[in-house]
Amino acid sequence: MDRQEQIEALLDHFRNPRNRQVIDPVDVTMPGGNPGCGDVVTIYFRATEDGGRLDAASFVGNGCTISQAAASVLMEMVNERRPPLEDILAMDYEDMVDHLGRETVNSRPRCATLALGTLKAAVRRYSRNRLRVEHGLPPEPGGEDEAEEFLV
Ligand code: FES
């Protein structure tokens, strides 16, 4: 894709976001935000019954074109692939920038990776809670502040 095609693809995701909804049932609701601007993306995450893979994910949010388009691109990708949870945790922020179009989003890495950082935080919280429940403990309360600072 050339730069113009990358821009058009991002605009299409921004105007017609994929998986912009609240899934039900959901295992983890994880808010994430870019402290520099206040833009937000909340990720809804559900794992497969055996806890090994993503079963479904969705988002809602408000913010700049790149942050919201990147969330839509990411949700489309993970819902198609339904990757193992460790693969989500291993996803690289640089790959996300490449996937969106480095030329187009390179100056806005925080916008481009807001959704990925939030999805990773959701997966980590899900894994911790699964361990807690296996050991007879209640799930963690809260979790609103654990989306990581994402820097590429
Ligand atoms: Fe806020 Fe892009 S300017 S996430």
Side-chain angles (χ1 to χ4, degrees), residues 11-21 59 68-69 72:
L11 283 174
D12 180 54
H13 273 274
F14 181 71
R15 292 179 184 135
N16 307 292
R18 282 55 144 187
N19 304 291
R20 192 176 196 281
Q21 58 182 324
F59 82 102
Q68 303 304 303
S72 172

Side-chain angles (χ1 to χ4, degrees), residues 33-34 36-40 62-68 108 110-112 114 150:
N34 184 342
C37 62
D39 291 348
V40 291
N62 282 299
C64 69
T65 304
I66 291 176
S67 69
Q68 303 304 303
R108 309 274 295 279
R110 285 175 172 254
C111 312
L114 172 59
F150 34 86

Side-chain angles (χ1 to χ4, degrees), residues 1-3 6-7 10 66-67 69-71 73-74 77 91-117 120 150-152:
M1 268 202 269
D2 66 22
R3 185 156 192 265
Q6 289 168 357
I7 291 169
L10 285 175
I66 291 176
S67 69
V73 168
L74 178 66
M77 184 197 307
M91 283 173 78
D92 192 76
Y93 293 116
E94 293 288 347
D95 289 343
M96 191 74 208
V97 169
D98 282 335
H99 188 73
L100 296 169
R102 181 165 292 277
E103 264 186 273
T104 307
V105 306
N106 203 26
S107 63
R108 309 274 295 279
R110 285 175 172 254
C111 312
T113 57
L114 172 59
L116 178 56
K120 287 185 181 208
F150 34 86
L151 284 171
V152 294

Side-chain angles (χ1 to χ4, degrees), residues 39-59:
D39 291 348
V40 291
V41 167
T42 297
I43 298 284
Y44 301 91
F45 168 83
R46 183 171 72 231
T48 50
E49 207 160 317
D50 65 2
R53 309 179 81 91
L54 179 143
D55 184 42
S58 65
F59 82 102

